């Protein structure tokens, strides 16, 4: 944009269908402050490609006393019948935009059926050569390694991610040149690769489509809604490019992922007694229960290895014994604690819960295995032999600093 003699010229405000354009918002803000008198546009089609947006924007500028003029369309908002002309120009621009969109979609579908990849960036492990996917000499080997480690060696996705990070292998986002790319592989990245059927040589496109009919969504978000297509609508071209894994290997991986998913706790059934109550004293992460070891380990250690934190392993039965010992101590002192609690509630009914808890429980208990009791802000639980008011007496968390 530039200002000259009370004239505001709009330079390259793209895309025209997005009313949330940063430069357009800046223009409207300047117009409200009367920083110029005229807005000069190249054409109505470059101003907005939605009839409603176009009319509303001009009306808003007119309310500020700002004049809108178009070079190509000979449009002047101060002329008689200007809004009628604007509606016609805007409707034609919208129709043109919709027609172009249909042509582009048709062209993409044709190329997809020819086995050409139309994405802007090729999947990790491939490179785009004249519209076709070809194996990348280096990154395709990384993809092959990921499948082998998961299927042949029995490694989990997080372990594979840690291994690739330790080997300083570039992440997919780093290879793509993304600005916010990191050097650390993630669990989610491994899962995306292991579940992508494209690595079998089959080109699958048309999973989703843009929907320009929802104008309210477009006005609010600044982009078109993208619903998912039914699977029978997908465009699948078998053997469209060189495969990195066989279809049999890919299906084995999917079956293994499915079986592992059935073993993961999803919020129903039994879970570890001290889930979300035991925490690592070094890093503060939760202690995860390991069924095969009948005990708890630091979540950071489990996810990132010993370079991030130690395991701080403790058996479930040992931790339970320590908790029960604490509960017995609390029960023994329950009468004194109840008296203090009743007195505090009478004298300081509206006192801060955190301060009240600290006044009642300030003792830390140390154990030979390095576990200590601390306090939490969670709602109180009824502890054996202790009369307490919900939200006043906190239940202890157990920290591992072994």
């Amino acid at each position: 944009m530039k200002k000259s003699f009370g004239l505001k010229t709009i330079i390259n405000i793209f895309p025209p269908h997005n009313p949330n354009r940063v430069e357009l918002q800046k223009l409207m803000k300047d117009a409200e402050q009367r920083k110029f008198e005229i807005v000069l546009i190249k054409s109505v089609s470059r101003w907005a490609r939605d009839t409603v947006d176009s009319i509303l924007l001009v009306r808003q500028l007119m309310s500020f006393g700002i004049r809108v003029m178009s070079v190509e369309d000979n449009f002047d908002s101060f002329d008689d019948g200007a809004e009628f002309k604007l509606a016609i120009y805007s409707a034609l621009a919208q129709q043109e935009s919709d027609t172009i969109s249909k042509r582009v979609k048709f062209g993409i579908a044709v190329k997809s059926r020819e086995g050409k990849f139309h994405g802007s960036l090729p999947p990790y492990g491939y490179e785009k050569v004249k519209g076709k996917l070809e194996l990348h000499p280096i990154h395709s080997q990384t993809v092959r390694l990921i499948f082998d480690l998961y299927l042949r060696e029995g490694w989990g996705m997080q372990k594979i991610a840690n291994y690739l990070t330790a080997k300083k292998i570039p992440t997919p986002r780093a290879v793509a040149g993304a600005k916010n790319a990191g050097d650390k592989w993630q669990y989610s990245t491994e899962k995306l690769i292991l579940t992508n059927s494209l690595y079998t040589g089959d080109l699958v496109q048309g999973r989703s489509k843009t929907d320009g009919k929802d104008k309210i969504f477009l006005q609010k978000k600044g982009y078109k809604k993208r619903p998912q297509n039914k699977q029978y609508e997908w465009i699948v071209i078998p053997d469209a490019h060189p495969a990195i894994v066989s279809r049999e290997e890919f299906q084995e991986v999917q079956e293994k992922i499915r079986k592992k998913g059935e073993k993961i706790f999803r919020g129903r059934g039994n879970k570890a007694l001290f889930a979300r109550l035991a925490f690592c004293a070094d890093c503060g992460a939760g202690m995860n229960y390991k069924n095969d070891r009948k005990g708890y380990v630091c979540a950071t250690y489990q996810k990132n290895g010993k370079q991030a934190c130690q395991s701080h392993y403790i058996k479930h039965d040992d931790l339970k014994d320590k908790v029960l010992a604490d509960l017995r101590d609390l029960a023994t002192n329950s009468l004194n604690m109840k008296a203090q609690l009743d007195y505090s509630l009478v004298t300081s009914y509206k006192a801060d819960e955190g301060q009240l808890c600290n006044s009642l429980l300030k003792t830390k208990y140390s154990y030979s295995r390095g576990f200590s009791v601390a306090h939490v802000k969670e709602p109180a639980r009824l502890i054996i032999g202790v009369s307490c008011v919900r939200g006043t007496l906190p239940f202890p968390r157990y920290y591992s600093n072994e």
Side-chain angles (χ1 to χ4, degrees), residues 46 55 77 137 154 219 236 242 262 285 293 297 310 330 334 340:
R46 299 310 305 162
I55 294 175
S77 62
Q219 289 174 339
V236 181
E262 292 176 351
R293 301 179 67 181
V297 297
Q310 298 302 310
L330 288 172
S334 62
Q340 293 182 37

Side-chain angles (χ1 to χ4, degrees), residues 289-296 313-318:
Y289 182 74
K290 303 293 291 181
N291 190 55
D292 57 338
R293 301 179 67 181
K294 306 299 180 184
Y296 300 84
Y313 169 74
I314 183 172
K315 290 183 178 180
H316 172 81
D317 290 341
D318 291 345

